[in-house]
Amino acid sequence: MHKYSGETRLLVATDCIIFGFDGANIKLLLVQRGLEPEKHKWSLIGGFIKPTESPEDAANRVLELRTGLKNVYMEQFQVFGKPERDPVERTLSVAYFALIDIHQYEAQLSEEYHPEWFLLDEMPDLIFDHNEMVRLAKRQLRYKAALHPILFQLLPEKFTIPQLQALYEGVYQTKFDDRNFSRKLLSTGLLVKLPEKDKLSSKKGAFYYKLDQSHYEENFESFLNLVPNPDKFF
């Protein structure tokens, strides 16, 4: 058998990419790195996986330790392992991402590591390959949002079409035509119009809607056309 000489240790870490919606904008949760190299620079929420942990358990532990957030559903989406990605030691990172309602988790956020929410277009430069992780996580989020109504889960039980449009525009970082978006959305048959209006956002007011869960299965295909040319975002 061939034996390798000069074998080096391989560490395994996990990084959590947490996107949040505050009712108007999509944001990214970051912390400042507490050790060298690149101490005090902004970073994703990360840490090493213990020998006794699964990557999923480690991601949940690290997220709670660094931010206070718990019971967040995170999806594993990629392993990052370029040999030079960590300047100190050869390290693989198992990356997870999530999209949460910022207000729902506001009270959990811990001040110990000073986590902060940043608008996606005002994100600071991040350590190591974390910028690349965010870029690929955004692509994965957009892909999922084009195929499934995952973004509806971030809205209150009753919502307006402008609210939903703001959410989609935040995820895709683009502007959709108001009339087209409204027409496509209503044509899905997934929304139930309510008799009341939101009078705070405009004089005329916008009607509230709710998601019709009972017809979701049969109307799923019509939902796929909601995002125009989704391929250009991936």
Side-chain angles (χ1 to χ4, degrees), residues 39-65:
K39 191 175 182 179
H40 301 313
K41 279 195 71 175
W42 289 101
S43 161
L44 294 170
I45 297 102
F48 290 108
I49 298 174
K50 295 177 180 179
T52 55
E53 288 181 311
S54 69
E56 184 179 345
D57 288 342
N60 284 306
R61 173 182 57 79
V62 165
L63 182 63
E64 184 175 357
L65 176 69

Side-chain angles (χ1 to χ4, degrees), residues 176-227:
F176 294 133
D177 178 78
D178 292 356
R179 282 188 181 177
N180 265 346
F181 187 86
S182 179
R183 180 176 53 78
K184 283 184 176 182
L185 191 59
L186 294 174
S187 72
T188 63
L190 284 171
L191 298 190
V192 177
K193 190 176 185 179
L194 301 174
E196 58 208 287
K197 280 186 172 186
D198 168 26
K199 295 286 181 64
L200 297 175
S201 49
S202 67
K203 283 184 179 178
K204 189 178 177 184
F207 277 106
Y208 281 113
Y209 290 83
K210 67 177 182 179
L211 183 63
D212 185 356
Q213 297 282 3
S214 63
H215 289 89
Y216 170 64
E217 293 294 331
E218 62 197 68
N219 292 337
F220 172 74
E221 291 298 326
S222 63
F223 185 84
L224 302 183
N225 299 318
L226 187 56
V227 179

Side-chain angles (χ1 to χ4, degrees), residues 33 37-38 41 85-88 126-132:
R33 183 170 165 84
E38 307 204 60
K41 279 195 71 175
R85 65 170 299 274
D86 187 324
V88 178
L126 305 180
I127 66 165
F128 306 162
D129 55 354
H130 289 194
N131 289 312
E132 175 74 353

Side-chain angles (χ1 to χ4, degrees), residues 1-211:
M1 283 180 67
H2 178 74
K3 287 188 176 180
Y4 291 100
S5 59
E7 288 180 351
T8 56
R9 188 168 69 147
L10 181 67
L11 299 177
V12 184
T14 184
D15 284 290
C16 306
I17 300 129
I18 309 296
F19 298 110
F21 183 60
D22 65 1
N25 296 292
I26 296 285
K27 295 179 178 179
L28 177 69
L29 189 61
L30 301 173
V31 292
Q32 284 183 300
R33 183 170 165 84
L35 61 151
E36 296 292 353
E38 307 204 60
K39 191 175 182 179
H40 301 313
K41 279 195 71 175
W42 289 101
S43 161
L44 294 170
I45 297 102
F48 290 108
I49 298 174
K50 295 177 180 179
T52 55
E53 288 181 311
S54 69
E56 184 179 345
D57 288 342
N60 284 306
R61 173 182 57 79
V62 165
L63 182 63
E64 184 175 357
L65 176 69
R66 300 268 190 269
T67 69
L69 298 184
K70 49 190 174 184
N71 301 320
V72 173
Y73 171 72
M74 291 187 285
E75 185 174 317
Q76 185 187 125
F77 81 102
Q78 193 163 325
V79 174
F80 291 82
K82 286 182 181 175
E84 71 284 357
R85 65 170 299 274
D86 187 324
V88 178
E89 200 163 357
R90 180 86 165 92
T91 306
L92 297 179
S93 178
V94 183
Y96 287 80
F97 83 99
L99 178 60
I100 66 173
D101 176 350
I102 289 176
H103 300 308
Q104 188 182 332
Y105 287 88
E106 230 163 7
Q108 284 188 16
L109 216 56
S110 153
E111 284 303 307
E112 188 177 349
Y113 289 90
H114 310 293
E116 282 190 37
W117 290 104
F118 286 85
L119 290 166
L120 292 182
D121 55 5
E122 294 177 8
M123 190 180 85
D125 198 38
L126 305 180
I127 66 165
F128 306 162
D129 55 354
H130 289 194
N131 289 312
E132 175 74 353
M133 288 185 181
V134 173
R135 185 183 71 80
L136 293 174
K138 283 195 293 188
R139 188 173 74 175
Q140 182 72 3
L141 176 62
R142 289 166 180 170
Y143 177 76
K144 281 187 66 89
L147 299 177
H148 306 283
I150 60 167
L151 300 187
F152 283 88
Q153 295 161 17
L154 294 180
L155 292 167
E157 194 174 336
K158 60 178 186 179
F159 53 84
T160 66
I161 289 177
Q163 273 180 308
L164 185 58
Q165 185 170 337
L167 177 52
Y168 270 85
E169 289 177 346
V171 166
Y172 289 94
Q173 292 184 277
T174 191
K175 291 291 289 178
F176 294 133
D177 178 78
D178 292 356
R179 282 188 181 177
N180 265 346
F181 187 86
S182 179
R183 180 176 53 78
K184 283 184 176 182
L185 191 59
L186 294 174
S187 72
T188 63
L190 284 171
L191 298 190
V192 177
K193 190 176 185 179
L194 301 174
E196 58 208 287
K197 280 186 172 186
D198 168 26
K199 295 286 181 64
L200 297 175
S201 49
S202 67
K203 283 184 179 178
K204 189 178 177 184
F207 277 106
Y208 281 113
Y209 290 83
K210 67 177 182 179
L211 183 63

